[in-house]
Amino acid sequence: MSDDAQIIERIEARVYRVPVARPVATSFGVMRDRPAVFVKITAASGAFGWGEVFANWPAAGAEHRARLLMEDMGDLLPGRRVEHPARTFHELERATRIRALQCGEWGPFRQVIAGIDTALSDLFARAAGQPMRTWLDASAGASVPAYASGIAVHDAQEALATARAAGYRAFKVKVGFDAARDLKALHALRLAPGERLFADANQAWTLPEALRFVEAGRAIGLGWLEEPLPADAPPADWADLARASSIPLAGGENIAGHDAFDAAIASRSFAYLQPDLAKWGGVSGNLAVARAIGAAGLTYCPHFLGGGIGLLASAHLLAAAGGDGLLEIDANPNPLREAFPGAGILGDGRLHLSDAPGLGIDALPEEIGRYLTLELSRTRDG
């Protein structure tokens, strides 16, 4: 990694919303459009980088996070000397602690800081002339295996065929709606030899409900069951479920902070841990967590369900972290992801990464311009 300091000259936030013909349903709610908040940070040297802030929930969250970045945290950024993104990440967490406590908006503050960190990591990698993955780890590979995500279990056979034709050999379906109907749909799915199937309950169940599901679903052959319990369920509940389940458990997208991830790792309840770099930690926080996951003999699989910048950053991070984890790629149509070059897999089921500096993004794709809903900026001069 390069340690040349950079002075932040300008920060920009752009919010996009894409209406969708087919809403994306989860056990707790429905996404009726696809939002994204993209952040650009430019240094006095002319170097720049791109990041992405989580914005899927609540429905009005995207514009709120952009305004939070500019109107609440803007005083912390322009003119700031950044010696390394990881150091600034921790400084911003400390500087915003009381602000988040005052309003109770821990998630939005964490998510904005995550986007800032990813943009700074991209900036530093670009300034060093290296792709992000090798800036993070010189031995990082040039591609990562991927799976198709966001598939509704009751329409899964058709969706699996489409994803299979695109090159995927692993798939994740959403459950947590009606357990009996979900199980029937899972049993009916047909996979080709060598394919893998995962299920995501999106925090839908109590412990007794989850125990009934894993017992009834024992013969399906799921590779993992994701978030069968709420993320804040007592650790004892997670431990009881892990002991009873023949299906490996996965989770982590709704865990935030090094201490919380250390506890999740130490619990041994999760075979797969899935931090989301747009929700917490950005590149800096997630790299440290990913390495801790690997050191514990568990599998790091980054969670992501947003635009092209966060997806590419997740892919570079997975390549740098190593291990046998898979990259999550949303199978639902989303121009805010698809318009970015390199944000799709090839026929071998892998996403192949560019050797361009940073994330390889010079500018946002022109074709997403019609979806812009808000554009804000701030400079050292105000």
Side-chain angles (χ1 to χ4, degrees):
M1 296 186 187
S2 169
D3 293 319
D4 295 334
Q6 299 281 350
I7 306 295
I8 297 178
E9 179 69 28
R10 180 181 177 89
I11 184 160
E12 305 167 56
R14 298 174 194 172
V15 180
Y16 298 85
R17 285 188 180 276
V18 178
V20 294
R22 187 173 191 174
V24 180
T26 70
S27 62
F28 59 83
V30 178
M31 294 176 61
R32 303 190 183 282
D33 61 23
R34 304 307 301 271
V37 179
F38 299 137
V39 177
K40 183 180 182 182
I41 296 178
T42 304
S45 67
F48 63 89
W50 290 98
E52 183 169 347
V53 178
F54 173 82
N56 290 343
W57 304 98
E63 289 78 8
H64 169 60
R65 282 150 181 76
R67 292 195 180 280
L68 180 64
L69 169 61
M70 293 298 170
E71 298 171 16
D72 193 288
M73 296 176 61
D75 61 312
L76 301 174
L77 295 166
R80 188 184 194 94
R81 177 183 172 86
V82 179
E83 296 182 359
H84 191 277
R87 179 172 176 178
T88 298
F89 167 71
H90 292 296
E91 291 171 349
L92 290 175
E93 283 204 316
R94 289 192 294 270
T96 58
R97 178 181 176 276
I98 299 302
R99 300 183 190 197
L101 179 62
Q102 179 69 22
C103 61
E105 295 204 22
W106 297 102
F109 274 93
R110 288 167 174 157
Q111 293 152 18
V112 169
I113 293 171
I116 292 167
D117 180 86
T118 298
L120 287 173
S121 298
D122 184 30
L123 187 158
F124 270 69
R126 291 178 66 93
Q130 299 180 57
M132 184 181 285
R133 66 182 187 278
T134 58
W135 178 72
L136 295 171
D137 189 303
S139 65
S143 68
V144 292
Y147 70 93
S149 177
I151 298 170
V153 67
H154 303 295
D155 301 315
Q157 201 64 64
E158 179 182 350
L160 260 63
T162 300
R164 186 178 292 119
Y168 291 98
R169 295 297 176 263
F171 319 91
K172 186 170 76 181
V173 297
K174 287 189 175 293
V175 297
F177 305 100
D178 176 284
R181 187 166 174 246
D182 292 348
L183 285 162
K184 183 178 180 180
L186 285 168
H187 278 290
L189 292 179
R190 296 291 177 263
L191 299 180
E195 293 183 339
R196 302 169 70 185
L197 181 67
F198 315 116
D200 184 357
N202 287 122
Q203 310 186 80
W205 300 316
T206 63
L207 177 59
E209 290 169 335
L211 287 168
R212 287 195 292 271
F213 184 92
V214 298
E215 177 61 29
R218 185 182 298 271
I220 295 173
L222 291 173
W224 74 58
L225 177 60
E226 186 172 331
E227 288 197 322
L229 301 175
D232 63 353
D237 286 4
W238 282 103
D240 287 348
L241 182 60
R243 281 192 294 269
S245 178
S246 62
I247 307 168
L249 303 185
E253 68 181 272
N254 292 305
I255 297 175
H258 291 288
D259 290 346
F261 274 109
D262 285 346
I265 292 168
S267 75
R268 312 302 295 185
S269 295
F270 302 94
Y272 299 89
L273 277 158
Q274 305 163 307
D276 187 318
L277 61 67
K279 278 191 165 185
W280 172 82
V283 171
S284 298
N286 278 262
L287 180 62
V289 166
R291 287 173 170 165
I293 292 168
L298 306 175
T299 303
Y300 164 64
C301 288
H303 174 274
F304 191 73
L305 206 74
I309 291 175
L311 176 64
L312 290 171
S314 298
H316 279 269
L317 189 56
L318 178 58
D324 57 0
L326 290 84
L327 177 71
E328 179 173 23
I329 302 181
D330 184 10
N332 296 288
N334 186 356
L336 301 179
R337 180 192 72 249
E338 297 160 351
F340 286 83
I345 70 164
L346 298 180
D348 60 357
R350 303 180 70 87
L351 188 145
H352 294 257
L353 296 165
S354 165
D355 289 327
L359 296 174
I361 301 167
D362 292 328
L364 298 181
E366 290 184 6
E367 55 264 45
I368 70 172
R370 60 187 169 137
Y371 303 117
L372 184 71
T373 65
L374 181 65
E375 186 171 13
L376 302 170
S377 65
R378 191 157 178 169
T379 68
R380 272 202 290 180
D381 299 329

